[in-house]
Amino acid sequence: MKVINKTYKYRLYPNRKQAMMLAQHFGCVRFVYNYFLNQRKEQYKNTKKSDNYYAQAKALTELKKNPAYLWLNEVNSQTLQYALRNLDTSYQNFFKKRAKFPRFHSKKHGGSFAVPQHFKVEGSKLFIPKFKEGIKFIENRKLEGTLRNVTVSVSPSGKYYVSIMSKVEYEPLKKTNSRVGIDLGLKDLIITSDGIKYSSNKFINQYSRCLSMVQKHLSRKKKGSSTWNRQRIKVARIQEKISDCRRDKLHKISTNLIRKYDIIFCEDLNVKGMERNHHLAKSINDASWNILLNMLEYKAEWNDKKVVRIGRYYPSSKTCRHCGYVNQSLTLADRQWICPVCGAVLDRDVNAA
């Protein structure tokens, strides 16, 4: 047995009053994040320096005393401080070249806020500061372990969710003493060195006709009107359906691979560079290779297994797996080729795996 951090996600069903209070929380957190991001940018512009988290947390306390911003006191103080901590983390990731420069948060992408302390779950209700009656949720899987923190979010389609991180005891999967190489592609999502192929994601194409229809109706509405907002929700629901279907499939594939193999070798793709090809960008986005590899990595860590990424410049498709000959003349159109040295007939994708 080992202890891991596991996230449980449930859908919330707030009443009308609670929905208004949640909207207030989302708005206040967004305001604090954007206000202090703008402050940091102005400070750097004028002095080439900017405040850290602790200085801004102190400034937030003073800001809440300002008569013009007294409405910030209606939201849990730790939630607002957590927004500042997220801002500071974004800056650190930028300076360590792990992410782009922080951007202002927009209302159209929904919203979220964290509750690091003083929360509890009783029955089918979530209790957090300022919500004394508790918010109803559907427990579609049993919540286990020691609760660590809570994040409440709203999707662009207007659905409310709560993500509860819990520290649980987990029993790793049994070792299979087998290893596999996988090749990532568009025709087939995954091709293993065993010759097994997993079909590619076609969810964008599957829902493209329905999506284009509702987007066309949205373009005819007056932006900001009630009819425009209703149509916007229809568009968001279809996009949410595509995302949910894709993530569900990737979870099933990654779990299946982790159960079957102890070591998985895969290629480290330059996805952003590949997306510049406008003929393939839609299919590449639908494939979501990075999400799949991230799923494999954290599930492998849970189960004491390994995911090894091979350098992106290694010529796996061009190298004969039998004798090591490198076919420099191989093109993307060649799906099969014959090795001139050993005479082996090679499937491009299986050979790469």
Side-chain angles (χ1 to χ4, degrees):
M1 299 292 285
K2 61 188 298 187
V3 178
I4 63 169
N5 290 327
K6 192 172 183 179
T7 301
Y8 295 84
K9 189 172 182 179
Y10 304 110
R11 186 171 173 185
L12 290 173
Y13 292 89
N15 56 38
R16 188 170 182 176
K17 180 183 177 182
Q18 290 172 339
M20 293 175 64
M21 292 174 65
L22 287 173
Q24 185 181 32
H25 277 63
F26 297 135
C28 289
V29 168
R30 184 168 54 248
F31 169 81
V32 167
Y33 186 95
N34 291 343
Y35 180 90
F36 285 97
L37 172 58
N38 182 66
Q39 185 188 75
R40 280 200 179 195
K41 293 176 71 174
E42 291 296 324
Q43 287 172 343
Y44 185 81
K45 183 179 178 181
N46 296 328
T47 64
K48 299 301 178 182
K49 292 182 179 180
S50 62
D51 290 339
N52 58 13
Y53 163 75
Y54 299 100
Q56 290 196 321
K58 187 176 180 180
L60 174 61
T61 304
E62 296 301 319
L63 182 68
K64 291 165 69 175
K65 296 177 183 178
N66 189 325
Y69 300 104
L70 290 177
W71 42 271
L72 288 174
N73 293 286
E74 298 177 14
V75 175
N76 179 26
S77 60
Q78 289 185 335
T79 293
L80 299 181
Q81 290 169 359
Y82 207 88
L84 292 182
R85 204 170 279 281
N86 288 338
L87 175 60
D88 192 62
T89 302
S90 298
Y91 261 86
Q92 292 178 20
N93 289 337
F94 168 71
F95 288 122
K96 292 178 181 177
K97 298 183 178 180
R98 291 199 295 251
K100 293 182 179 179
F101 188 79
R103 295 185 296 177
F104 293 105
H105 286 180
S106 173
K107 186 178 180 180
K108 68 179 181 180
H109 297 303
S112 66
F113 66 87
V115 184
Q117 288 180 323
H118 309 302
F119 59 85
K120 60 180 179 178
V121 174
E122 291 184 357
S124 60
K125 284 192 174 184
L126 170 70
F127 293 87
I128 57 178
K130 307 294 183 180
F131 293 82
K132 296 181 180 179
E133 298 178 359
I135 309 172
K136 184 181 177 182
F137 72 96
I138 301 298
E139 191 177 9
N140 47 19
R141 55 177 176 158
K142 189 177 179 181
L143 181 62
E144 299 176 337
T146 305
L147 308 188
R148 299 195 63 185
N149 60 54
V150 163
T151 301
V152 179
S153 61
V154 60
S155 67
S157 62
K159 296 177 182 177
Y160 296 91
Y161 296 95
V162 58
S163 296
I164 305 174
M165 181 180 287
S166 178
K167 184 179 287 187
V168 300
E169 287 188 349
Y170 178 79
E171 185 175 356
L173 296 171
K174 293 181 179 179
K175 299 289 185 180
T176 60
N177 297 319
S178 59
R179 57 179 65 188
V180 72
I182 61 174
D183 182 60
L184 304 175
L186 294 177
K187 184 180 177 182
D188 295 294
L189 181 63
I190 289 180
I191 303 92
T192 70
S193 54
D194 298 338
I196 302 172
K197 297 183 178 182
Y198 294 86
S199 62
S200 60
N201 296 335
K202 300 290 185 182
F203 300 113
I204 291 180
N205 288 336
Q206 182 179 346
Y207 292 97
S208 60
R209 186 175 180 181
C210 184
L211 184 61
S212 62
M213 187 182 301
V214 294
Q215 286 177 328
K216 185 189 293 185
H217 288 303
L218 179 65
S219 67
R220 295 171 181 166
K221 310 294 183 185
K222 184 179 178 181
K223 190 172 182 178
S225 64
S226 58
T227 54
W228 175 87
N229 189 54
R230 284 199 296 269
Q231 193 65 28
R232 178 196 64 79
I233 292 175
K234 290 181 181 180
V235 174
R237 283 177 178 170
I238 296 175
Q239 291 173 333
E240 193 177 76
K241 177 71 173 177
I242 294 171
S243 177
D244 288 345
C245 290
R246 183 190 300 125
R247 188 168 287 274
D248 177 68
K249 182 175 180 179
L250 295 180
H251 269 300
K252 290 175 180 176
I253 292 174
S254 59
T255 301
N256 182 260
L257 289 172
I258 291 296
R259 283 176 176 168
K260 291 173 69 176
Y261 306 103
D262 290 346
I263 305 177
I264 300 173
F265 298 88
C266 60
E267 52 191 331
D268 184 20
L269 296 173
N270 180 16
V271 177
K272 290 185 178 179
M274 297 171 70
E275 286 176 350
R276 296 190 187 116
N277 184 339
H278 299 296
H279 298 288
L280 299 175
K282 184 188 288 187
S283 298
I284 291 170
N285 285 328
D286 207 12
S288 300
W289 292 317
N290 280 338
I291 296 176
L292 174 61
L293 293 181
N294 288 337
M295 287 180 178
L296 283 173
E297 286 175 339
Y298 80 74
K299 291 178 182 180
E301 186 179 353
W302 283 1
N303 295 283
D304 299 324
K305 300 188 177 186
K306 287 184 180 180
V307 174
V308 181
R309 295 203 189 198
I310 306 300
R312 64 182 58 171
Y313 299 110
Y314 179 75
S316 55
S317 299
K318 298 179 180 181
T319 304
C320 175
R321 70 175 185 269
H322 298 288
C323 65
Y325 169 78
V326 180
N327 184 0
Q328 298 291 353
S329 62
L330 190 71
T331 65
L332 285 173
D334 301 324
R335 306 313 303 174
Q336 284 189 344
W337 59 283
I338 300 174
C339 178
V341 176
C342 64
V345 180
L346 303 169
D347 179 281
R348 177 194 180 94
D349 297 327
V350 175
N351 179 67

